[in-house]
Amino acid sequence: MKATLLMPAGLSIRIALTSFLWQAGSTLTSGVFFNWFVQEAGAKGWMLGLLLALPDLCGLAGLYARPLLQSGWGRRHLWWFSTIVSRLFFVCIPGIALLHHEFPDPQTALWLIILAISLASIFQGIAFAAWSDWISLLAAPPLWGKTLAIRSMAMIATQLLLPLIAGAIRDFAQSQARMTGSNQLLIMVYAGIFLTGVLLQLASLLPMLALPEVVLAQVRRSTGLWATLRESFQQPGYGWLIAHAWCLGAANGLTQAVLAQYQYQILKMSILPMQAMFSLMYLIQLPASWQGGQFSSRHREGFVLTFGTAITASSMLFFYFSSPENWWMIGGAYVVWGAFGAVNVAGPHMALRLSPEGDRSASFAVFRLGAGMAAGLSGIAGAWWLSWQLEASTPENAMAAYQTLFLASLAGRCLASLLACGTWCSQKHRED
């Protein structure tokens, strides 16, 4: 028996509100703000790469959502419980930041932050897998494209103004810290922004609480985890899709810490112009997400993944040819990254479509959270590689170390586009 859409308009509004609040909180607890904070706290090299990679690295724990669902947990309750536990661990981070001067060794605070992020990310991976499976049952398959597009657009909308406001507050606190010679105000502002983000993420649970648990499709207790995954890989195109997602994740992750360090230490950019570029990127992603949903509804995800990934791959060329004198050139990278709006809708849509009905948590976790794990491992490798290259180079040729990684990431992104083409061809062959 197939699940049907419950109150389509109401479901769309609730998903939009939940996604908006969650991403608003995520904006204030990760990304640029977190990057700048940990670098000012002394994180660099492999330590910076580890801190930035941990959420993705630990996210594959989402595979454990399936055994929990088999043991009797409902998707709705597992999402709710895991999210709250995750945020409780996450809220320790600003506390550590406020007390970091009490530790005899500055590295102690960074290791405690690593522990908090690891535990929070494990539970968040489980929450995400449960949420994705639950939503796929609440909405009928013909409406997945619209549902995913609405979710993506709601998350993107928070990026247009909120980061600029928070960035202006943080830049003001930073200028005051330089005038007074004390970073305490800056850390207090960071802690306040971070706590606000955690509260927004907890508030994101509220719009969905009125929706029921779906009992029309139970997780198959007699089918093991690996048997379920084998069933998914037997679907035409699923193997290509996983290869594309993991390759793209690795290529993106390779420069995760490198780009942050490059913009912070080489280009000497402040947070406000950085957030302005991010806002431009998200403005482009809004219509791209909607178009990605429209193409996905017509089973054209392979086309979107192939050409969308190829467009975003060109971003590394803008970084390669940039310098402190023409730092504005990296703005072109943020423009082409707008195509991720379509890619980030088409990929999940195809992953859901190729997963076993009523039992999608594991196969979807391999797609989304497995790609995150690849990004995390690659991020650590990229940070270590950059650190090793910088130690072996002089200040005059330090740019070459960054440019090498930009080219390596470009090659990986182009390969991901070719793998997406394999997905596209498999689907076209199946339709023919």
Side-chain angles (χ1 to χ4, degrees), residues 340-353:
F340 270 123
V343 172
N344 292 339
V345 171
H349 189 280
M350 179 171 282
L352 289 174
R353 187 158 64 87

Side-chain angles (χ1 to χ4, degrees), residues 14-24 131 151 154-155 158:
R14 290 176 187 278
I15 289 176
L17 285 173
T18 290
S19 302
F20 183 89
L21 291 170
W22 177 265
Q23 188 58 42
W131 154 270
R151 177 180 180 271
M155 296 175 74
T158 65

Side-chain angles (χ1 to χ4, degrees), residues 192-247:
I193 291 175
F194 199 100
L195 288 172
T196 301
V198 171
L199 290 175
L200 286 170
Q201 289 181 318
L202 289 175
S204 72
L205 297 169
L206 300 178
M208 302 295 293
L209 290 183
L211 293 176
E213 180 65 69
V214 178
V215 296
L216 296 178
Q218 298 291 344
V219 177
R220 297 166 296 176
R221 288 182 169 81
S222 60
T223 307
L225 174 62
W226 299 114
T228 301
L229 293 178
R230 282 197 301 271
E231 182 179 340
S232 297
F233 276 98
Q234 289 171 359
Q235 294 290 325
Y238 183 80
W240 286 106
L241 177 66
I242 297 302
H244 155 78
W246 285 42
C247 181

Side-chain angles (χ1 to χ4, degrees), residues 145 148-153 156 281-294 296 304-305 308-309 311-312 334-348 368:
L148 290 170
I150 288 174
R151 177 180 180 271
S152 179
M153 293 170 69
I156 292 169
M281 177 186 74
Y282 292 126
L283 190 63
I284 298 171
Q285 285 186 0
L286 278 173
S289 296
W290 182 254
Q291 287 302 315
Q294 296 299 306
S296 296
V304 175
L305 292 177
T309 304
I311 291 171
T312 60
Y334 288 85
V335 171
V336 298
W337 278 337
F340 270 123
V343 172
N344 292 339
V345 171
R368 191 65 175 267

Side-chain angles (χ1 to χ4, degrees), residues 19-362:
S19 302
F20 183 89
L21 291 170
W22 177 265
Q23 188 58 42
S26 181
T27 299
L28 301 181
T29 56
S30 62
V32 174
F33 296 105
F34 185 74
N35 294 351
W36 257 251
F37 166 73
V38 294
Q39 290 187 74
E40 289 175 354
K44 57 184 178 180
W46 69 268
M47 178 71 81
L48 177 62
L50 179 61
L51 282 164
L52 299 183
L54 273 173
D56 290 331
L57 199 59
C58 297
L60 196 58
L63 279 173
Y64 192 64
R66 188 175 187 273
L68 290 173
L69 294 174
Q70 284 182 307
S71 69
W73 280 83
R75 297 169 181 84
R76 173 179 176 271
H77 291 95
L78 183 57
W79 164 66
W80 183 84
F81 173 80
S82 298
T83 300
I84 290 179
V85 174
S86 170
R87 295 310 94 185
L88 289 177
F89 282 119
F90 219 55
V91 82
C92 296
I93 296 175
I96 297 170
L98 289 170
L99 297 175
H100 81 283
H101 59 279
E102 302 290 341
F103 300 118
D105 183 1
Q107 292 289 310
T108 303
L110 292 175
W111 283 111
L112 288 174
I113 290 175
I114 285 174
L115 177 61
I117 292 176
S118 299
L119 293 173
S121 300
I122 288 171
F123 280 95
Q124 191 53 47
I126 294 173
F128 179 77
W131 154 270
S132 302
D133 202 6
W134 183 38
I135 295 304
S136 73
L137 292 171
L138 285 173
L143 297 179
W144 282 349
K146 176 184 176 182
T147 302
L148 290 170
I150 288 174
R151 177 180 180 271
S152 179
M153 293 170 69
M155 296 175 74
I156 292 169
T158 65
Q159 310 295 316
L160 297 178
L161 189 59
L162 182 61
L164 291 173
I165 296 173
I169 294 173
R170 187 194 176 283
D171 277 0
F172 172 76
Q174 189 174 48
S175 66
Q176 293 298 307
R178 288 170 178 168
M179 291 174 58
T180 61
S182 172
N183 281 338
Q184 190 61 23
L185 175 62
L186 183 60
I187 294 175
M188 290 180 66
V189 167
Y190 165 78
I193 291 175
F194 199 100
L195 288 172
T196 301
V198 171
L199 290 175
L200 286 170
Q201 289 181 318
L202 289 175
S204 72
L205 297 169
L206 300 178
M208 302 295 293
L209 290 183
L211 293 176
E213 180 65 69
V214 178
V215 296
L216 296 178
Q218 298 291 344
V219 177
R220 297 166 296 176
R221 288 182 169 81
S222 60
T223 307
L225 174 62
W226 299 114
T228 301
L229 293 178
R230 282 197 301 271
E231 182 179 340
S232 297
F233 276 98
Q234 289 171 359
Q235 294 290 325
Y238 183 80
W240 286 106
L241 177 66
I242 297 302
H244 155 78
W246 285 42
C247 181
L248 183 59
N252 289 341
L254 186 65
T255 53
Q256 184 179 39
V258 174
L259 293 179
Q261 192 167 331
Y262 180 72
Q263 292 168 101
Y264 183 77
Q265 296 182 5
I266 302 297
L267 300 185
K268 305 295 184 184
M269 294 179 64
S270 67
I271 199 169
L272 206 53
M274 280 282 300
Q275 291 293 4
M277 290 184 180
F278 272 109
S279 295
L280 173 62
M281 177 186 74
Y282 292 126
L283 190 63
I284 298 171
Q285 285 186 0
L286 278 173
S289 296
W290 182 254
Q291 287 302 315
Q294 296 299 306
F295 274 97
S296 296
S297 296
R298 298 194 294 269
H299 294 183
R300 300 283 305 280
E301 307 103 316
F303 169 82
V304 175
L305 292 177
T306 301
F307 288 99
T309 304
I311 291 171
T312 60
S314 65
S315 60
M316 291 297 99
L317 295 176
F318 293 98
F319 278 95
Y320 182 86
F321 290 109
S322 65
S323 67
E325 292 73 30
N326 64 344
W327 60 267
W328 45 265
M329 191 172 183
I330 68 170
Y334 288 85
V335 171
V336 298
W337 278 337
F340 270 123
V343 172
N344 292 339
V345 171
H349 189 280
M350 179 171 282
L352 289 174
R353 187 158 64 87
L354 299 180
S355 301
E357 183 179 5
D359 197 5
R360 297 185 174 94
S361 61

